[in-house]
Amino acid sequence: MSTKLDPMDLFDVRSELAEDEVMVKNTVARYVDDKVIPLMREAFEKHEFPRHLIGEVAELGLLGSSIEGYDCAGLNSVSYGLICQELERGDSGLRSFVSVQSSLVMFPIHAYGSEEQKQRWLPAMARGEAIGCFGLTESQGGSDPSNMKTHAKRDGDDWILNGSKMWITNATIADAAIVWANTDEGVKGFIVEKDMPGFDSQEIKNKFSLRASVTGALFFNNVRVPEASVLPGVSSLKGPLSCLTQARYGITWGVIGAAQACLNEVLHYTRDRILFGRPLANTQTIQIRLAEMSRHITTAQLLALRLGRIKDKGDLSPTQVSMAKWNNCRSAIDIARDARDILGGAGISAEYVPIRHMLNLESVITYEGTETVHQLVVGKELTGVNAFG
Ligand code: TGC
Ligand code: FAD
């Protein structure tokens, strides 16, 4: 007789994980159940990022977890994915914080920074004592970063930076921003510190999505940045785009957690909700909708695991990440919206998780490349024709 399948993992993806990967998953899952889920509803309602979580995730080794050395955990890519999945089961806002700090700030410092920059920033960022943000998007169009207006000019041993960035996670709580700017020598990454004269930030306060995350704008008015704070290892758009590949990879896993939280909620709800004299779960169309959710979660899990194994082998193509980010975000947002509907009127209450995840996923499907951007990346791979031009 077959044993009962796990509704959150119908194909037993867990059995494909190594012992240390299971340990990472279980540790983060316990933390999220005990310390994150109980406070996320209120944080979302108050439009506040619970900053005390930074010390806790740092303590667990979740910041810059893929980096070897510099007080980082040196975990593999699958473990990083599992971390993102479990955190986003709590809320996309906390996963966003960890994604930005790890993939968009610590990654470029590690990949393109000088030894001095690595020593100064990476251990402090791993401990959560220094917070970073990543400034690529500008108001004239985030999908097309090649149309970048922010620029820097050499002035003796320094650079003078001017321009602005929009929709930046952690903008107003960051100690340092990795700012991408055009220069006569190509696109360069500048480590701009919060107290550098001419640097300012402003929080965006009216969001209906990712309310438990800080988002804002960055402004640079003749900011003098020393050469020692410029990332020496890259001078083209490939720099920021390679960071996006890391963060998009994490999102591919993260959104599975949000989708699982929604499925879990409606599985319980439909068992208890009596309509027309029987539990809602006993009706055929509801079972089909639940089965569809499970099919999409399973597909997303298998895609994410395969992607992680490819990444750990060092063979990852950005096109594969685009397809996985597109597929998994689309599945997660459809699941969250359907779960919201199955809850009926109760679904619009913050007492149930789907509406919060649904609203968060509107940001997640937009940032790190919109769905259209990722479809066109795959289209380019298939046809050899660049539809962006
Ligand atoms: P293109 O000509 O295709 O490429 C320029 C150079 O970059 C290389 N490249 C990549 N390298 C690594 N990873 C990737 N994903 C890469 N994509 C491109 C490429 O090989 C080329 O190198 P080389 O040596 O030949 O010069 O550039 P394009 O301007 O045509 O770009 C096309 C497009 C649309 C795909 C790109 O601009 C794009 O990805 N746009 C979307 C922008 C985006 O996703 N922004 C996200 C901002 S950060 C954010 O949202 C954070 S949210 C965080 C959170 O809270 O979790
Ligand atoms: P646009 O680029 O103006 O796109 C508008 C619409 O046009 C979209 O539907 C898009 O799919 C479509 N479109 C674009 N190009 C094409 C095309 N060629 N063909 C057909 N349709 C097209 N950015 C950072 O740099 N750092 C961060 O930390 C960060 N955090 C974020 C946090 C949040 C909560 C949000 C919402 C955004 C964040 N972003 C960040 C910005 C994010 O990356 C951008 O919002 C995203 O890349 C889209 O850019 P845009 O908003 O300017 O939309």
Side-chain angles (χ1 to χ4, degrees), residues 54-197:
I54 298 173
E56 294 178 4
V57 292
E59 185 75 19
L60 288 169
L62 309 188
L63 301 178
S65 62
S66 308
I67 294 173
E68 296 271 358
Y70 304 99
D71 294 349
C72 298
L75 301 176
N76 70 1
S77 302
V78 170
S79 298
Y80 174 52
L82 291 163
I83 290 168
C84 290
Q85 177 185 294
E86 292 310 317
L87 292 177
E88 197 148 357
R89 200 166 51 76
D91 192 89
S92 305
L94 179 58
R95 198 271 308 138
S96 271
F97 175 83
V98 171
S99 286
V100 169
Q101 181 90 344
S102 303
S103 291
L104 296 180
V105 178
M106 296 173 74
F107 170 81
I109 293 173
H110 187 249
Y112 305 122
S114 65
E115 191 51 40
E116 193 192 340
Q117 290 165 348
K118 293 181 206 182
Q119 294 292 353
R120 169 155 183 219
W121 291 107
L122 294 179
M125 287 181 164
R127 290 194 294 270
E129 290 162 8
I131 296 170
C133 69
F134 176 88
L136 177 63
T137 301
E138 299 185 358
S139 56
Q140 70 276 3
S143 299
D144 183 12
S146 65
N147 184 26
M148 188 183 289
K149 305 288 186 238
T150 299
H151 60 275
K153 266 196 161 21
R154 276 192 189 276
D155 185 48
D157 286 341
D158 299 331
W159 292 80
I160 305 296
L161 179 68
N162 278 289
S164 63
K165 299 285 175 181
M166 186 66 181
W167 296 115
I168 306 303
T169 301
N170 296 346
T172 54
I173 60 169
D175 299 288
I178 304 293
V179 178
W180 298 96
N182 261 319
T183 74
D184 291 342
E185 299 158 37
V187 172
K188 284 184 169 285
F190 294 81
I191 306 176
V192 181
E193 294 177 47
K194 68 176 176 195
D195 50 4
M196 286 181 172

Side-chain angles (χ1 to χ4, degrees), residues 95-96 137 142-143 145 169 241-242 244-245 248 318 367-369 380:
R95 198 271 308 138
S96 271
T137 301
S143 299
T169 301
L241 293 180
S242 65
L244 300 186
T245 295
R248 290 166 176 173
Y367 67 35
E368 291 289 354
K380 180 178 168 188

